[in-house]
Amino acid sequence: MRAVYVLSVVAAAGWLGRAWAGFPMVTPTVGDVWPRPQTAQYEDTYMTVTADNFAFVVVGHSCDIVEEAVTRYTDIIFQSAASQMDRQTKSYSLGSRAYLDQLSVNLSAPCEDYPYQGMDESYELKVDSPDYPGSATLSSQSVWGILRGLETFSQLLLPDASGFRAIRATHITDFPRFSYRGLMLDTSRHFLPPAKIHETLDLMAMNKFNVFHWHVVDDQSFPFVSVAFPDISRLGAYTERHVYTLADVAGVVEYARLRGIRVLPEFDTPGHTRSWGPGQPSLLTQCYQDSVPDGTFGPIDPSNEKNFDFLTEFFAEVTSRFPDRYVHLGADEVDYGCWQSNPAVSDFMDELGISGQYDMLEEYYITRLFGIIAGLPTTNSYLVWQDVFDKGMSLAEDTVVQVWQDGDSPADFMDKVDQVTMQGYFAILSSCWYLNLDTFGSDWFDYYTCDPHDFPGWDDQKALVLGGEACVWTEYEDRTNLIPRTWPRAALVAEKLWSSVEDTASVEGVPERLDEHRCRLLARGYDVEPLLPSYCTADIV
C-alpha cells in the first residue's frame, strides 16, 4: 500500500515553517462534514442507504427550489463515484443492517424567491440510531436552511465495505458564523464560459458559500451584453463570441438562486473602464501630451454631464437584470494622470472650485454615482473596494467596504477592518484570500489562519463585519485551470466563514479533513487539485 503523508506545520518565534512529515495516516476519517457544523453529535452505529430503498420525502412547504434540490441531491448521492477513498473504506458496525428508507424534509415556512443578505440558513438534522430504522428528519424555517442541510446530509453518507452507502446516527444543529460568505470571479481578463460559472456555483453550494461576486468587466474586455448600449460589448468584448447574453446572465442568476447563492454584479468605475470607451463615445477622458491629444484614454470623464445620464440608464438596466439589493461599484485604483492632462477637466475643476485637487474630483464623481444608485427602484445599496474609504469620502450608512489591500503584514489589513467598523460601516475581508496568487506547495495554512474578527475591536464593531470573500483574478486563470486553482483552497475560506471560532481556531486535523473533502469533490466529478501527497479512488476513472 502506498504511504499517505500529512503536512506538518511548525510555528516558532513568529516564523512559520512548513515541512513534510513522513508518517502514514493510519486513522481514516469517517465522513467529517465540511464546513464543520456548529454542533454535531455522532453515534458509532450505522444504517445502510441504497438507491432502491431510499427517498427524500417533503413533508412541509415546497417550491421549485426544494423540488430541484431533492432531485439534485439524489443524483449527487447515488451517481457520484461508488467509493471516495480506498483508505476510507472500512467495515462499519451495521448490526442488523437496518436501512434508512427516507429523509423527511420539513420546511416550516413558505419559500422565499431569492437569497439575500442576512437570510436565515439555519437547520437541524436528525438521523436516529438503527433502533429506530428509517427515521431521519431535516428541519428549517427557511428554504435556504433546507439547502444547507441537504448538503450536510449528502456528506454524511459513506461507502461501506459491501458497496452500499452507510450513515451514522447523527444530530446536527447548524447555522453560519458570518452572513456574507463570498467568492469573486473576474470574467474580463479571461472570459469564463457560463458552464464554468455554473460549475463554480455547484462547488460553492457544496461548501456553503452564499455570494457569487461577479466582476463582469474591466479594462481588458466588456463581455456583458447591454440591451440599452449594445455597442459597448460589440466593440469592447474580445470577440462577438466572448460575451454574456441576456440568456446567459439570467441563467447564472437562476442557477445560483436554486442553490441559495446571491449574484452580486460589479461594474467598476470610474477607472478600470478602457473596454467601455470604443462603444460609448465621449465616456472616457481624452489624455493629452504637450497640450495635444495623444490617442489614449483614462477614467470616465466627470466633466461631461451626459456621462451621468449614461450611468443612470446603464445601472438601471444592470439592476433590472440582477435581483439582489446590492451592486458592487468598485471605485478602486483611479489613475489621475489623464484627468491632470485634459484642459476641459481642468476648466471644470475651476468651476467647481477644486482646482488641482483630483481626489476631490474623484469624490465628485463617486458622490454622483452613489446618488444614482440610491435613486434606483430596487437595488439601492452598494459595496465598494476600500479605496473610497481610505480617501475619506462620504458613504451611506449601509455601505459595505471590501478590505483588499495587504500592507506589510496581516496586522495591517486587520487594522483596516478595525478602522472601517470603528466608523460604523459594514466590512468584508478579502486581503488574505486572493486564490489566484501562485505559490509552490501547500498554502492552506495561511488561508485557514486568517479570521475576519482578528482585531481588538468592540463587540458592536465586530457585529459590522459581515464576513469575507475569496477572490480569483484571472490574469493567469481561464476555463482550463479555474476549477483546480480555486478548489479545494476556497473550501478553507468557506469553513472559516461558516464554522464556529472554536472549531477553526486550530489547524490540527485540517489537512486530513480537507484531503477527504477534496476526494469527495473529485468523486462528484470536479477536477480539484491535490493539497498533499495522497490518493483518491476517484483518481482512477
Side-chain angles (χ1 to χ4, degrees):
M1 174 181 292
R2 188 194 317 173
V4 180
Y5 298 90
V6 296
L7 184 64
S8 173
V9 180
V10 180
W15 175 84
L16 295 175
R18 292 157 181 79
W20 294 106
F23 56 88
M25 193 184 306
V26 294
T27 304
T29 49
V30 288
D32 204 345
V33 174
W34 192 288
R36 273 189 166 164
Q38 297 292 332
T39 64
Q41 298 174 337
Y42 303 106
E43 297 180 23
D44 195 25
T45 54
Y46 293 80
M47 286 183 287
T48 299
V49 179
T50 69
D52 293 337
N53 294 320
F54 176 82
F56 292 104
V57 178
V58 179
V59 298
H61 291 273
S62 189
C63 60
D64 60 338
I65 299 175
V66 174
E67 293 168 0
E68 198 278 344
V70 164
T71 300
R72 184 169 71 252
Y73 278 100
T74 300
D75 292 341
I76 287 173
I77 291 168
F78 296 114
Q79 293 185 12
S80 61
S83 175
Q84 293 173 6
M85 288 183 263
D86 283 339
R87 64 182 173 84
Q88 280 189 278
T89 303
K90 56 182 282 189
S91 297
Y92 297 107
S93 302
L94 294 175
S96 61
R97 299 192 66 82
Y99 285 85
L100 178 65
D101 58 7
Q102 70 178 44
L103 174 69
S104 297
V105 179
N106 184 13
L107 173 59
S108 59
C111 291
E112 295 170 303
D113 292 330
Y114 285 95
Y116 54 90
Q117 173 59 37
M119 61 188 172
D120 180 7
E121 297 173 270
S122 62
Y123 66 91
E124 183 177 25
L125 177 62
K126 291 183 178 180
V127 181
D128 289 327
S129 70
D131 295 334
Y132 306 94
S135 178
T137 303
L138 169 62
S139 303
S140 179
Q141 296 183 15
S142 164
V143 66
W144 319 120
I146 292 295
L147 293 178
R148 308 305 176 230
L150 287 172
E151 176 57 37
T152 294
F153 179 78
S154 74
Q155 293 188 21
L156 290 171
L157 291 159
L158 293 169
D160 68 21
S162 61
F164 295 108
R165 297 277 176 166
I167 189 167
R168 292 188 275 182
T170 303
H171 184 188
I172 288 173
T173 303
D174 202 10
F175 53 88
R177 179 184 173 200
F178 291 103
S179 62
Y180 186 109
R181 306 179 309 282
L183 177 69
M184 189 221 75
L185 285 186
D186 159 27
T187 58
S188 171
R189 289 164 176 85
H190 276 105
F191 178 81
L192 298 174
K196 280 299 172 185
I197 297 177
H198 291 182
E199 194 172 344
T200 298
L201 291 166
D202 281 331
L203 285 157
M204 288 177 66
M206 293 173 189
N207 290 273
K208 298 187 174 72
F209 280 106
N210 68 353
V211 180
F212 172 51
H213 173 179
W214 191 356
H215 186 89
V216 191
V217 305
D218 211 298
D219 282 332
Q220 291 75 13
S221 73
F222 194 105
F224 176 81
V225 175
S226 166
V227 175
F229 305 98
D231 283 348
I232 305 182
S233 62
R234 187 177 67 82
L235 299 175
Y238 284 131
T239 75
E240 62 182 10
R241 297 177 59 191
H242 291 83
V243 296
Y244 300 108
T245 65
L246 273 71
D248 293 331
V249 171
V252 168
V253 170
E254 177 67 4
Y255 203 87
R257 179 186 79 91
L258 293 172
R259 288 152 181 79
I261 298 172
R262 301 163 55 199
V263 180
L264 177 69
E266 179 186 354
F267 291 86
D268 191 359
T269 69
H272 291 277
T273 50
R274 285 200 304 268
S275 66
W276 303 46
Q280 186 63 22
S282 302
L283 178 67
L284 303 185
T285 304
Q286 172 73 64
C287 303
Y288 280 68
Q289 181 71 33
D290 297 327
S291 301
V292 178
D294 66 6
T296 64
F297 296 86
I300 289 177
D301 183 355
S303 71
N304 185 347
E305 183 63 26
K306 291 182 179 179
N307 287 340
F308 294 103
D309 296 334
F310 158 76
L311 290 167
T312 300
E313 188 173 354
F314 178 75
F315 276 102
E317 178 184 351
V318 165
T319 55
S320 72
R321 306 263 292 276
F322 295 93
D324 201 82
R325 178 190 161 200
Y326 286 84
V327 62
H328 202 303
L329 299 178
D332 65 317
E333 299 180 319
V334 181
D335 185 348
Y336 297 155
C338 209
W339 284 349
Q340 291 170 337
S341 74
N342 187 291
V345 171
S346 296
D347 292 343
F348 180 70
M349 295 176 68
D350 290 342
E351 292 174 10
L352 293 179
I354 57 172
S355 298
Q357 301 178 70
Y358 292 93
D359 56 339
M360 296 295 293
L361 180 62
E362 181 183 359
E363 183 169 7
Y364 170 83
Y365 171 87
I366 294 296
T367 301
R368 293 286 304 271
L369 180 60
F370 287 170
I372 289 169
I373 301 302
L376 295 173
T378 53
T379 304
N380 51 23
S381 298
Y382 46 82
L383 292 85
V384 291
W385 298 106
Q386 75 180 67
D387 306 50
V388 174
F389 174 83
D390 288 343
K391 294 174 181 178
M393 298 183 189
S394 178
L395 305 174
E397 289 184 359
D398 63 346
T399 300
V400 181
V401 177
Q402 185 162 0
V403 176
W404 69 276
Q405 292 179 338
D406 285 359
D408 296 324
S409 70
D412 291 335
F413 55 73
M414 294 316 305
D415 182 61
K416 184 61 64 177
V417 175
D418 190 9
Q419 293 174 33
V420 170
T421 55
M422 187 176 293
Q423 293 195 28
Y425 298 117
F426 293 110
I428 59 173
L429 176 64
S430 291
S431 301
C432 46
W433 293 321
Y434 269 44
L435 303 182
N436 54 287
L437 297 179
D438 292 329
T439 58
F440 176 78
S442 181
D443 50 11
W444 67 269
F445 183 87
D446 294 327
Y447 296 132
Y448 203 78
T449 53
C450 180
D451 191 291
H453 276 172
D454 191 16
F455 64 96
W458 301 101
D459 288 345
D460 56 351
Q461 274 184 260
K462 294 191 176 184
L464 293 173
V465 181
L466 300 180
E469 183 173 280
C471 295
V472 183
W473 300 100
T474 59
E475 285 90 345
Y476 305 104
E477 283 79 24
D478 66 3
R479 65 174 181 81
T480 65
N481 64 345
L482 171 68
I483 298 303
R485 283 299 298 153
T486 306
W487 304 95
R489 294 150 78 239
L492 293 154
V493 185
E495 182 157 279
K496 290 295 291 190
L497 296 175
W498 179 280
S499 305
S500 71
V501 65
E502 293 81 11
D503 274 344
T504 58
S506 169
V507 298
E508 183 178 357
V510 171
E512 298 93 331
R513 293 179 49 247
L514 187 56
D515 196 44
E516 174 189 9
H517 187 52
R518 182 253 171 176
C519 287
R520 176 187 292 129
L521 300 178
L522 193 67
R524 293 183 180 187
Y526 301 95
D527 286 334
V528 297
E529 72 180 12
L531 295 123
L532 49 89
S534 64
Y535 72 93
C536 305
T537 300
D539 289 337
I540 310 171
V541 291

